[in-house]
Amino acid sequence: MKIKVIEGKRIHECLIKKNIRLDMLLKQIGILLDMPCGGNHTCGKCKVRVSGKLSTLTKDERKLLTEDEVKNNIRLACFTKVFGDINIYPNVDATDTLSMITLPKYNLTGKGYGLAVDIGTTTVAMQLYDLSTGKMLSEALGVNAQGSFGADVISRIQNAADNGNKYQQDAIQNQLNLMAKDCITQAGVDYINKSVITGNTTMLHFYEGLEVKNLATAPFTPTSLFGMKSNHTLVKSPIYLPKCIGSYIGADITCTILATEMIHHSDKIELLADLGTNGEVVLNIYGKLYCASTAAGPAFEGANLTFGMKAGKGAIAKVSIKANKVFYKTVGNTPAKGICGSGILDAVSIMLELKIIDETGHIDSEFEGPGKIIYHNEELAWQIPGTKISVTQKDIRQIQLAKSAIFAGIKTLLKKENLSPEDIDTFYIAGGFGHYMNRHSAANIGLFPKELEDRIKLIGNGALSGAATLLLDTDQRVNEKSIISKSKEIELSGNPTFSEHYVDGMLFSHY
Ligand code: FES
């Protein structure tokens, strides 16, 4: 029989035999999977993100997948049979997609189809949902089209001050419309009933076309904190923009808090860190929420690094060491093209372990051991064995800046209530990078206090989860309001506790 395999913008018409296995079908269209056990149902490696007319999950397949993977349409190709049209999610490894999400408890309140969108400073993620079943039908991911106006919010606000914000508004609106059309094609639906777009306060200002200049100068007064209907539409659907907590704690954090269900945990002390370009930290102390924003920069998303790239095919996502031999793994098991956030974290951790760098981050030019010390564009660098990818002195500095911003943000909030890391019940980490980083490498380089390592709960793209929850269940707006009323923004710039920990955090002395 003839079926359609939708792979992003590509549509393959395939002739299949009844009960064809997914890995065989993918082979027909040129997608080769890593299958170490040769399809014998034991390794659990043949993961694919796929939806459509497929056999149901068996107990044995279920055993080899995590709960998160099942919720996010990950299947094992050698277990799965194809019965009709399917969507496969291209260009990202099944386990490295940025939009892995976990939804909190919700009720379905709508009908038709809706779009949940997270406008990140670096990455934009969108998912299309069936509002009557809660099923995610398709998704699109992209690098924020405003990137050419600056990598971070401050440089984009500066650009808007010089050139007006219309260009950036057009860039993001056009991008969302194109992504929405992709989602519609992939899902095979004809219309969208409503959308929820979340993002940090600056991103929502740009989307709405509001004045942004006050966001860059004290007292940082936003033109709007949203929590309202947008003046625009997305593929003709009305848009709800969730409410921001403050100028630098945006609706993305409101949504992430919603996703953690923290507001219902009034008997606990919890911490949340969203590891994006703007690193946000939230402390829940018995239902009271302290929130702070710290400029981590885009290094964790693979940007601003010499060989940096997002977690797409060919990105070194893992580096490990055994018996003085260094190993690496790329997304999609393809030749190494660059390095993404989780890979650089492992690499820096190994550089510390091998004493290639000292506690100040300085690379030892005389180092002898695995890998080579080279000069790349006149920068001292360590080349990862077996690749042409290196970590330069400049990259180490970027990582030091990023990790000390998060570390100092956490320490400052803890100090506010005289808490120590041991007092924290759960440490939620949000963000695509956070989902895949090696928590031991992260603790090793001092991204957060070591004591938090075994309290981590990864929640993936919390902003997108929260947006999807608001889309599927309009009653969640009560919880959204409650988050706003319980939150207090803590200013970090000029805060002496923050400055002190920021300077300390630059060192790798925790190792
Ligand atoms: S190839 Fe090993 S489980 Fe599918």
Side-chain angles (χ1 to χ4, degrees), residues 242-431:
K243 193 153 178 98
C244 301
I245 294 165
S247 300
Y248 278 91
I249 308 288
D252 50 348
I253 298 305
T254 311
C255 287
T256 305
I257 296 173
L258 190 68
T260 62
E261 299 184 275
M262 249 184 194
I263 42 156
H264 305 306
H265 303 162
S266 54
D267 55 341
K268 294 207 164 100
I269 304 178
E270 301 171 316
L271 200 60
L272 156 70
D274 187 349
L275 304 176
T277 309
N278 298 309
E280 285 92 359
V281 187
V282 178
L283 173 70
N284 164 32
I285 173 154
Y286 306 128
K288 197 163 59 174
L289 302 168
Y290 290 118
C291 314
S293 168
T294 168
F300 296 141
E301 303 197 29
N304 275 9
L305 299 174
T306 312
F307 289 92
M309 63 182 284
K310 72 179 184 75
K313 273 187 185 145
I316 296 178
K318 279 188 183 26
V319 189
S320 56
I321 184 162
K322 209 172 175 188
N324 218 32
K325 252 189 123 180
V326 174
F327 301 88
Y328 71 91
K329 191 170 182 323
T330 60
V331 174
N333 291 313
T334 53
K337 282 199 304 204
I339 188 159
C340 64
S342 59
I344 192 90
L345 222 64
D346 286 349
V348 174
S349 174
I350 285 171
M351 288 171 85
L352 272 167
E353 201 174 320
L354 292 173
K355 300 199 169 21
I356 298 170
I357 50 176
D358 63 17
E359 73 161 16
T360 68
H362 179 75
I363 297 180
D364 176 5
S365 59
E366 320 249 288
F367 170 76
E368 281 177 24
K372 267 195 289 187
I373 299 296
I374 57 161
Y375 277 90
H376 180 85
N377 292 342
E378 300 182 11
E379 285 274 335
L380 209 51
W382 177 60
Q383 195 171 60
I384 299 173
T387 76
K388 293 257 180 287
I389 309 302
S390 47
V391 181
T392 67
Q393 187 67 72
K394 185 184 124 271
D395 299 338
I396 302 283
R397 297 290 175 238
Q398 291 291 327
I399 294 298
Q400 282 175 294
L401 291 168
K403 65 118 181 173
S404 67
I406 302 290
F407 180 85
I410 291 174
K411 286 288 214 179
T412 310
L413 291 194
L414 292 180
K415 183 80 199 298
K416 185 125 193 63
E417 293 277 342
N418 283 325
L419 297 170
S420 68
E422 287 89 350
D423 296 317
I424 302 298
D425 295 308
T426 308
F427 178 32
Y428 299 98
I429 295 188

Side-chain angles (χ1 to χ4, degrees), residues 21 23 33-47 64 76-79:
R21 249 170 46 175
D23 56 309
L33 301 170
D34 182 26
M35 299 180 72
C37 75
N40 278 324
H41 299 175
T42 54
C43 70
K45 295 278 186 213
C46 54
K47 289 173 188 165
L64 294 168
L76 292 174
C78 73
F79 279 89

Side-chain angles (χ1 to χ4, degrees), residues 214-255:
N214 292 339
L215 291 171
T217 45
F220 308 104
T221 314
T223 308
S224 171
L225 284 176
F226 308 97
M228 62 182 208
K229 194 172 162 220
S230 166
N231 289 322
H232 308 280
T233 54
L234 180 58
V235 281
K236 298 193 182 143
S237 70
I239 302 163
Y240 178 68
L241 304 166
K243 193 153 178 98
C244 301
I245 294 165
S247 300
Y248 278 91
I249 308 288
D252 50 348
I253 298 305
T254 311
C255 287

Side-chain angles (χ1 to χ4, degrees), residues 455-473:
R455 293 155 211 231
I456 291 176
K457 183 166 180 200
L458 300 174
I459 59 164
N461 187 337
L464 192 64
S465 309
T469 313
L470 286 167
L471 179 78
L472 294 165
D473 180 0

Side-chain angles (χ1 to χ4, degrees), residues 127-291:
Q127 293 184 327
L128 190 154
Y129 283 86
D130 181 327
L131 302 178
S132 50
T133 63
K135 203 163 170 34
M136 196 267 282
L137 301 179
S138 62
E139 68 173 356
L141 293 164
V143 173
N144 188 321
Q146 295 167 308
S148 55
F149 302 95
D152 51 49
V153 290
I154 298 297
S155 40
R156 288 189 207 162
I157 293 171
Q158 185 55 51
N159 186 293
D162 298 339
N163 307 306
N165 59 6
K166 180 84 183 103
Y167 297 108
Q168 295 193 57
Q169 184 189 18
D170 286 350
I172 190 64
Q173 289 197 346
N174 291 339
Q175 178 174 21
L176 292 197
N177 271 306
L178 287 173
M179 285 170 73
K181 282 178 189 155
D182 259 7
C183 282
I184 287 172
T185 312
Q186 281 183 51
V189 302
D190 300 324
Y191 59 91
I192 294 296
N193 296 71
K194 59 178 183 171
S195 298
V196 173
I197 300 182
T198 193
N200 64 50
T201 316
T202 310
M203 291 303 110
L204 293 189
H205 273 67
F206 277 123
Y207 185 82
E208 281 300 278
L210 303 179
E211 183 56 75
V212 289
K213 70 172 189 281
N214 292 339
L215 291 171
T217 45
F220 308 104
T221 314
T223 308
S224 171
L225 284 176
F226 308 97
M228 62 182 208
K229 194 172 162 220
S230 166
N231 289 322
H232 308 280
T233 54
L234 180 58
V235 281
K236 298 193 182 143
S237 70
I239 302 163
Y240 178 68
L241 304 166
K243 193 153 178 98
C244 301
I245 294 165
S247 300
Y248 278 91
I249 308 288
D252 50 348
I253 298 305
T254 311
C255 287
T256 305
I257 296 173
L258 190 68
T260 62
E261 299 184 275
M262 249 184 194
I263 42 156
H264 305 306
H265 303 162
S266 54
D267 55 341
K268 294 207 164 100
I269 304 178
E270 301 171 316
L271 200 60
L272 156 70
D274 187 349
L275 304 176
T277 309
N278 298 309
E280 285 92 359
V281 187
V282 178
L283 173 70
N284 164 32
I285 173 154
Y286 306 128
K288 197 163 59 174
L289 302 168
Y290 290 118
C291 314

